[in-house]
Amino acid sequence: MQWILQKFEDTEKLAVALERLGITHSWHKVVPFVGELMPAPTVKDPGSVVLFGSYSLWRMAEAKGWTPGVFTLAPFLTQGVWKPYLLNGDVRILTVREAAQMVPDNTLHFVRPVSDSKEIAGTVMTSSELVETSRRVLALRPEEIPGGSLSHDTELMLAAPVRIRKEWRCWVVDGEVVTWSLYKEGSRVVYRAEIDDDALEFARSIVELNPSYSPAYVLDVCRTEDGLRIIETNCINAAGFYAADLTKLAAAVDRVGRGRPSDLG
């Protein structure tokens, strides 16, 4: 399969794994706001191409008909089978327009876009901060807003903040959790290639509940005072790698991209 990479620190690490596996790849820059690749790649088989880098690469993959290209996802909040296990199951969904009309006070909210669009990272904000952010967006005309940024009609998820003890990222390919990484312990950012046994079993059970969700994605799970929960899912092509085993990940994605059955064992 042909691998097209946008140069970042993480994709440079991925390239090392690809070289170890004998998988060829090419490097490209992405023209801001346009999404064109420079230099333009020479694609031999549009049905066997995968791109890793910024989330905006999905536009290029879709326009060119490259598959699997970028593994785009349905919003995890819409997945009914996962709802009982969500960290933020009781949520409000507001557009940026609606958020601008909130009462500006010090109430805390966990805020993130409903879609896996990377317009803003999930974060805790006060109502006042959210109102201020939303009003700045509304002060711009739609045509002035760069692609991939918050827009007037972006849907936001608001939920009550929850105390989290540990957070892990799991990479799911062809229905299997192929690698994982601890990325936060309490308030400390910690990257280690480890996961608690019960958290791994929880992640595997979540994947089994929704086998048709996507051929490849990232699943973030956590331990709270009330047990294990799903934080969110993310696009595997644009998510940080932390301390993942990139050789296992690259081999698994390459097999799926070439339509070969998994032999992850």
Side-chain angles (χ1 to χ4, degrees):
M1 186 169 67
Q2 183 172 350
W3 287 65
I4 293 173
L5 306 181
Q6 181 182 1
K7 190 176 284 291
F8 290 117
E9 181 179 354
D10 268 5
T11 50
E12 288 177 345
K13 295 175 185 176
L14 176 61
V16 172
L18 293 172
E19 289 164 4
R20 187 178 298 125
L21 293 165
I23 298 172
T24 59
H25 61 276
S26 58
W27 291 107
H28 305 267
K29 294 182 179 179
V30 178
V31 180
F33 312 127
V34 178
E36 294 288 335
L37 296 174
M38 292 183 60
T42 300
V43 173
K44 297 178 180 179
D45 179 4
S48 186
V49 182
V50 70
L51 301 89
F52 273 76
S54 62
Y55 182 74
S56 63
L57 289 171
W58 73 266
R59 295 186 178 89
M60 171 63 70
E62 185 177 85
K64 299 292 186 180
W66 295 337
T67 59
V70 172
F71 297 97
T72 56
L73 306 176
F76 70 97
L77 289 173
T78 66
Q79 306 301 298
V81 294
W82 285 345
K83 188 172 178 59
Y85 308 97
L86 295 178
L87 174 65
N88 303 115
D90 185 14
V91 302
R92 296 169 60 195
I93 295 177
L94 302 174
T95 65
V96 169
R97 293 180 191 275
E98 292 167 334
Q101 302 304 314
M102 293 173 60
V103 175
D105 58 26
N106 291 323
T107 303
L108 291 173
H109 308 275
F110 174 74
V111 181
R112 59 152 286 163
V114 170
S115 66
D116 183 28
S117 53
K118 307 299 182 187
E119 290 143 320
I120 57 170
T123 188
V124 175
M125 307 172 72
T126 65
S127 296
S128 295
E129 291 168 333
L130 178 56
V131 168
E132 181 182 354
T133 298
S134 300
R135 289 178 178 173
R136 284 201 303 266
V137 174
L138 293 179
L140 300 173
R141 296 191 304 273
E143 61 270 21
E144 294 178 315
I145 298 174
S149 301
L150 286 177
S151 66
H152 299 183
D153 297 315
T154 299
E155 288 188 323
L156 301 173
M157 177 192 97
L158 277 64
V162 177
R163 186 179 298 277
I164 297 174
R165 295 179 178 176
K166 286 184 178 181
E167 302 177 43
W168 298 273
R169 173 156 291 178
C170 300
W171 285 261
V172 181
V173 183
D174 196 22
E176 300 282 346
V177 178
V178 298
T179 185
W180 46 80
S181 173
L182 176 72
Y183 65 88
K184 203 167 183 183
E185 196 165 26
S187 60
R188 296 186 304 125
V189 174
V190 181
Y191 298 159
R192 292 199 299 265
E194 64 184 45
I195 188 170
D196 293 349
D197 289 344
D198 61 338
L200 179 57
E201 288 308 309
F202 174 73
R204 286 171 172 162
S205 71
I206 292 302
V207 173
E208 290 174 1
L209 279 173
N210 203 356
S212 61
Y213 183 59
S214 174
Y217 61 100
V218 165
L219 172 68
D220 290 347
V221 300
C222 66
R223 186 182 303 284
T224 73
E225 295 172 356
D226 296 321
L228 295 162
R229 294 288 186 269
I230 302 169
I231 300 175
E232 62 183 1
T233 60
N234 282 290
C235 173
I236 201 169
N237 307 72
F241 293 131
Y242 305 147
D245 185 325
L246 294 183
T247 301
K248 286 184 177 179
L249 177 60
V253 170
D254 199 63
R255 279 192 293 268
V256 168
R258 288 183 286 123
R260 291 178 53 185
S262 172
D263 57 356
L264 302 176

